[in-house]
Amino acid sequence: MSAWVLPDHIADVLPSEARHIEELRRQLLDTARGYGCELVMPPLLEHLESLLTGTGEALGLQTFKLVDQLSGRTLGLRADTTPQVARIDAHLLNRTGVARLCYCGPVLHTRPDRPHATREPLQFGAEIYGHAGLEADREVLLLALDCLRATQVPPLTVDLADARIVRALFAGVLVDPRVLGEVHAALAAKDATALARLTRDFPAPSREGLAALVDLYGDATVLAEARRVLPATSAIGQALDQLEWLGRDLGEATVTYDLADLRGYAYYSGMRFGIYTPGATDALVRGGRYDEVGAVFGRNRPAVGFSLDVRELVGVAAARPLKAAIRAPWGEQPELRAAIARLRAAGETVVCMLPGHESVVDEFHCDRELAEQAGRWVVRAL
């Protein structure tokens, strides 16, 4: 095998795409800062037990593992940044009030999470710790939408769900963990036949409620139908009321509901959402409330947030026009070097044409040139 061939689902990012990624990264971080989010930079690797504590088996299978040559302990390359941010909130910041945190950095996956996906996403996310009310849920949802709008993504669809609805339907039901996993899979696939077989011995309210979830997806009328067909428990009623409130006034975004969507079921403790756009193979953004994420670090703080892959976002975000550059001759004259320095300090891109390469074309389109005129160096149109 050639030495230059990269592992499967790992790729170099070439100049044009890299420029676009960096522009989006800056736009996302600036948008989060506008909401009061503070930037944190967790390390790429940690002790494995810290990375995986409380996150479940799925993340463990996605995590690369290696042995630390200094301590002999097992380390992990992060597959998700949220557990690290929860650790930072719990132990390093240790605030009693609200903490708004954001991050942007690579994560590594042992396997791509869907066909043609990279195993090295550039994960951006924002999280709010310390507030259990719906206000934090809504702020995170609005921030996620503003991030996508700022990066000029096409029309958006917000899909809302709530993990508490399914949990309420399982309340008091004794079921084998294996069967529980199969029920979750049947709900996610909307497989009514398999669901009926798996739940035939469940109490009637649970069995009928789970069966009803299969068809509870679509626009806002889904919530009214859910109130009609699901058990009238306080937990389910509260979840539906909150979903209705969260779905209001989201600008031009289309709002849908899928009450059987169980992605991240073991992780989320309340509302969860995905944001979709034409051209993307899956949700661009996933997020929701995960109040238990910090419990393993000794501080069970309310938490809500979202994340996205900036490299995937590049595929659907409108390309930014490249800022035109200034072409300059190569030379050691003090006046020329001073003129180039002034232009660069003013934010201009100045490309010096190295001797013998004057005709080389690169990414930077030069529409002006720095030329000597009457003993002075001036910028003029090409």
Side-chain angles (χ1 to χ4, degrees):
M1 180 178 290
S2 300
W4 56 268
V5 175
L6 295 173
D8 291 344
H9 300 280
I10 297 291
D12 294 306
V13 181
L14 301 183
S16 182
E17 184 180 2
R19 173 177 57 82
H20 197 184
I21 287 173
E22 176 60 13
E23 289 172 350
L24 294 184
R25 185 191 70 85
R26 294 180 184 182
Q27 187 71 66
L28 292 167
L29 289 173
D30 286 346
T31 303
R33 184 175 58 185
Y35 275 69
C37 293
E38 301 170 273
L39 180 64
V40 293
M41 296 180 179
L44 184 60
L45 77 167
E46 286 196 40
H47 293 125
L48 188 64
E49 58 269 26
S50 175
L51 278 181
L52 300 186
T53 300
T55 58
E57 181 183 8
L59 195 59
L61 294 174
Q62 279 283 60
T63 301
F64 280 101
K65 304 168 182 70
L66 64 154
V67 175
D68 185 359
Q69 297 299 308
L70 294 180
S71 67
R73 296 176 63 181
T74 302
L75 304 178
L77 295 169
R78 66 174 178 226
D80 182 33
T81 312
T82 293
Q84 297 182 294
V85 179
R87 174 182 56 75
I88 289 172
D89 173 72
H91 283 292
L92 299 183
L93 296 180
N94 199 27
R95 296 172 180 170
T96 56
V98 171
R100 292 177 173 88
L101 304 175
C102 64
Y103 57 86
C104 190
V107 296
L108 288 168
H109 295 163
T110 55
R111 294 176 178 272
D113 58 11
R114 60 186 174 279
H116 311 299
T118 178
R119 289 195 290 165
E120 189 187 9
L122 180 60
Q123 189 181 55
F124 166 81
E127 305 180 6
I128 299 177
Y129 292 89
H131 185 74
L134 279 178
E135 299 85 358
D137 295 36
R138 186 166 181 81
E139 182 170 311
V140 158
L141 183 54
L142 292 174
L143 172 55
L145 285 168
D146 278 351
C147 282
L148 295 182
R149 290 167 183 148
T151 54
Q152 302 174 39
V153 172
L156 303 172
T157 297
V158 179
D159 190 58
L160 291 164
D162 198 304
R164 293 172 296 179
I165 294 174
V166 174
R167 289 201 177 97
L169 293 173
F170 276 114
V173 179
L174 298 177
V175 59
D176 181 88
R178 179 187 58 80
V179 175
L180 183 63
E182 292 178 358
V183 170
H184 289 167
L187 279 171
K190 296 181 170 48
D191 188 340
T193 302
L195 187 62
R197 173 178 55 81
L198 292 164
T199 60
R200 61 176 177 265
D201 296 327
F202 283 24
S206 296
R207 181 179 67 250
E208 293 168 2
L210 290 169
L213 286 183
V214 172
D215 295 316
L216 291 176
Y217 61 92
D219 61 20
T221 60
V222 164
L223 301 180
E225 179 66 8
R227 290 187 175 94
R228 188 181 71 82
V229 300
L230 295 180
T233 67
S234 59
I236 291 176
Q238 182 184 49
L240 293 173
D241 288 344
Q242 292 182 0
L243 286 176
E244 183 177 16
W245 186 80
L246 288 169
R248 295 175 185 159
D249 303 322
L250 296 181
E252 70 278 11
T254 300
V255 180
T256 61
Y257 303 85
D258 187 352
L259 303 189
D261 187 348
L262 293 180
R263 279 171 287 197
Y265 173 80
Y267 183 67
Y268 291 111
S269 61
M271 80 90 184
R272 54 144 300 278
F273 65 90
I275 304 179
Y276 298 80
T277 191
T281 58
D282 199 0
L284 275 181
V285 174
R286 290 204 180 277
R289 180 162 287 278
Y290 33 83
D291 287 342
E292 306 301 319
V293 70
V296 294
F297 300 112
R299 295 191 75 207
N300 194 9
R301 299 237 292 163
V304 59
F306 71 89
S307 65
L308 60 85
D309 177 11
V310 184
R311 295 178 69 168
E312 182 183 10
L313 184 59
V314 164
V316 295
R320 308 293 178 86
L322 180 63
K323 182 180 177 181
I326 299 171
R327 185 175 68 190
W330 176 260
E332 292 296 330
Q333 305 98 308
E335 297 81 3
L336 172 60
R337 306 311 302 169
I340 291 172
R342 284 194 301 271
L343 289 168
R344 287 173 175 164
E348 296 283 1
T349 298
V350 182
V351 180
C352 289
M353 309 309 293
L354 299 177
H357 299 274
E358 290 80 6
S359 62
V360 172
V361 177
D362 60 18
E363 184 187 9
F364 296 99
H365 169 67
C366 296
D367 66 347
R368 292 157 293 163
E369 67 175 352
L370 186 61
E372 191 173 18
Q373 183 175 307
R376 297 174 57 245
W377 288 95
V378 297
V379 177
R380 64 188 185 190
L382 283 173

